[in-house]
């Protein structure tokens, strides 16, 4: 029902959705005070050098961006691949890096975060505007790893929405199943895409400081890449302006077997922190990343 309603409204222009997104943003910030303490605390601890007015300014920009994410997600939910491509909402800056990694390694691990609008990831086949570089593989060889939500209803909504542009896409793999899947399919060349900035729920590793705070990470994605000798890339997602994002692939290593999983994750965290410091509002500050 929720997906049906989202897709009913998705056909309206993106500007219409931004209008309502701004209202949702204002309501979350000023009426609901949605996780306001979490947002302010996370930003303050991450940037101890900043004065309180700067912290408030970053928080306000974050809530505005959260409304944009809401608007873009509803618009995206019913858009086919042609409409997504024609909109230019997101584009690759260097797809050739992903193609080179795919062609020259057993498989590829892509680490991404809650920067930009991660809900647009389902349109990864739509963002190439370089006629000289094709996407390196068919959609059947792309596997997106996700953490199942406790609420089954919302889990189904988000999983289906994120893969909507590709009809019949079945490449979503729950995180607890990825190790068994990758080992079983080690002879198949795949691209594995992981969100890697959530709070670690399982056995975790002390990664040192990230955004000025002692941080734990899960090593599963890096450990699997190390075991199978995959290439590892960091997927940077920047917002250029409202309704315009760019994706850039940053190499971490060509052969993960020569680095420890801990070193791979440290390189990833350093790249992510640099991006957050460049555009502080462009990260999911309402997430309880350091809740313990």
């Amino acid at each position: 029902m929720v997906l049906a309603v989202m897709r009913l409204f998705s056909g309206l222009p993106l500007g219409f959705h931004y209008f309502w997104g701004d209202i949702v943003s204002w309501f979350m910030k000023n009426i609901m005070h949605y996780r306001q303490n979490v947002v302010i605390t996370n930003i303050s601890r991450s940037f101890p050098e900043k004065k309180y007015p700067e912290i408030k300014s970053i928080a306000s920009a974050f809530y505005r961006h959260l409304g944009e994410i809401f608007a873009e997600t509803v618009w995206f939910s019913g858009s086919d691949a042609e409409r997504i491509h024609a909109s230019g909402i997101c584009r690759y800056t260097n797809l050739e890096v992903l193609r080179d990694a795919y062609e020259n390694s057993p498989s590829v691990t892509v680490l991404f975060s809650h920067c930009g609008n991660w809900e647009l990831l389902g349109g990864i086949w739509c963002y190439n505007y370089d006629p000289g570089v094709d996407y390196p593989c068919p959609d059947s060889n792309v596997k997106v790893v996700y953490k199942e939500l406790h609420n089954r209803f919302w889990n189904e909504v988000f999983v289906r929405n994120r893969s909507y542009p590709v009809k019949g896409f079945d490449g979503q793999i729950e995180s607890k199943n990825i190790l068994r899947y990758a080992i079983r399919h080690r002879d198949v060349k795949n691209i594995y895409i992981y969100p890697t900035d959530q709070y670690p729920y399982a056995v975790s590793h002390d990664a040192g400081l990230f955004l000025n705070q002692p941080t734990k990470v899960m090593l599963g994605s890096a450990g699997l890449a190390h075991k199978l000798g995959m290439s590892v890339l960091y997927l940077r997602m920047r917002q250029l302006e409202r309704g315009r994002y760019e994706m850039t692939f940053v190499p971490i290593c060509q052969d993960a077997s020569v680095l420890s999983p801990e070193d791979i994750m440290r390189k990833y965290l350093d790249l992510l922190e640099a991006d957050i410091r460049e555009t502080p509002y462009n990260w999911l500050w309402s997430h309880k990343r350091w809740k313990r």
Side-chain angles (χ1 to χ4, degrees):
M1 178 65 179
V2 172
L3 275 174
V5 172
M6 289 173 64
R7 288 171 185 169
L8 177 65
F9 283 95
S10 68
L12 295 169
L14 190 52
F16 170 85
H17 294 291
Y18 283 134
F19 172 79
W20 285 106
D22 288 341
I23 293 175
V24 169
S25 171
W26 178 87
F27 188 80
M28 286 193 297
K29 178 177 180 289
N30 298 294
I31 305 300
M32 288 179 60
H33 304 292
Y34 173 70
R35 293 193 175 181
Q36 196 167 68
N37 289 338
V38 174
V39 171
I40 294 297
T41 299
N42 281 343
I43 297 174
S44 299
R45 290 177 176 174
S46 298
F47 305 107
E49 74 281 3
K50 294 187 181 297
K51 305 295 185 182
Y52 187 63
E54 294 178 275
I55 301 298
K56 286 184 64 178
S57 177
I58 293 172
S60 294
F62 160 72
Y63 280 108
R64 184 168 59 252
H65 183 47
L66 200 59
E68 292 171 345
I69 292 171
F70 168 81
E72 291 158 359
T73 301
V74 174
W75 172 85
F76 179 83
S77 66
S79 299
D80 58 25
E82 290 74 17
R83 185 187 188 208
I84 293 170
H85 182 83
S87 74
I89 193 169
C90 186
R91 64 178 61 230
Y92 296 112
T93 65
N94 61 347
L95 188 59
E96 67 276 3
V97 171
L98 177 63
R99 187 173 187 85
D100 181 69
Y102 184 77
E103 291 176 348
N104 294 287
S105 62
S107 283
V108 180
T109 289
V110 177
L111 307 178
F112 84 100
S113 71
H114 288 85
C115 286
N117 185 349
W118 56 94
E119 297 294 339
L120 300 178
L121 189 64
I124 55 176
W125 295 274
C126 309
Y127 304 142
N128 181 23
Y129 295 87
D130 185 346
V133 182
D134 294 328
Y135 200 82
C137 66
D139 58 76
S140 58
N141 293 99
V142 175
K143 311 299 174 183
V144 180
V145 182
Y146 73 100
K147 177 69 177 177
E148 186 175 17
L149 299 177
H150 293 299
N151 186 302
R152 290 186 179 181
F153 171 76
W154 285 111
N155 183 73
E156 178 68 14
V157 168
F158 283 113
V159 168
R160 289 178 61 187
N161 185 59
R162 290 167 184 170
S163 60
Y164 180 74
V166 179
K167 306 298 184 185
F169 177 70
D170 61 354
Q172 300 265 14
I173 302 177
E174 214 284 329
S175 57
K176 66 177 179 288
N177 300 321
I178 185 59
L179 175 61
R180 185 181 305 122
Y181 180 91
I183 295 296
R184 188 187 307 133
H185 296 84
R186 64 190 307 164
D187 295 329
V188 179
K189 186 175 291 196
N190 288 321
I191 296 174
Y192 295 97
I193 304 177
Y194 297 81
T196 45
D197 59 348
Q198 306 107 315
Y199 178 80
Y201 292 98
V203 176
S204 54
H205 162 70
D206 288 312
L209 291 180
F210 168 63
L211 288 171
N212 197 53
Q213 299 172 77
T215 300
K216 291 179 178 291
V217 296
M218 293 173 63
L219 296 176
S221 56
L224 187 56
H226 170 82
K227 182 179 181 65
L228 300 181
M230 299 183 190
S231 293
V232 181
L233 305 175
Y234 165 63
L235 177 57
R236 170 179 292 139
M237 192 174 191
R238 286 178 169 152
Q239 185 185 43
L240 304 179
E241 59 185 28
R242 170 169 280 191
R244 291 290 181 272
Y245 298 90
E246 64 177 19
M247 288 180 171
T248 301
F249 294 99
V250 181
I252 291 179
C253 60
Q254 179 64 36
D255 179 359
S257 67
V258 304
L259 291 177
S260 70
E262 292 82 1
D263 287 341
I264 292 171
M265 291 308 296
R266 186 65 255 173
K267 288 176 178 289
Y268 160 76
L269 290 174
D270 289 344
L271 288 166
L272 175 57
E273 178 167 340
D275 284 347
I276 294 171
R277 290 188 177 279
E278 181 179 341
T279 51
Y281 73 88
N282 189 37
W283 194 52
L284 188 60
W285 292 107
S286 57
H287 184 59
K288 298 179 180 179
R289 181 62 180 82
W290 298 280
K291 61 184 176 182
R292 295 175 187 168

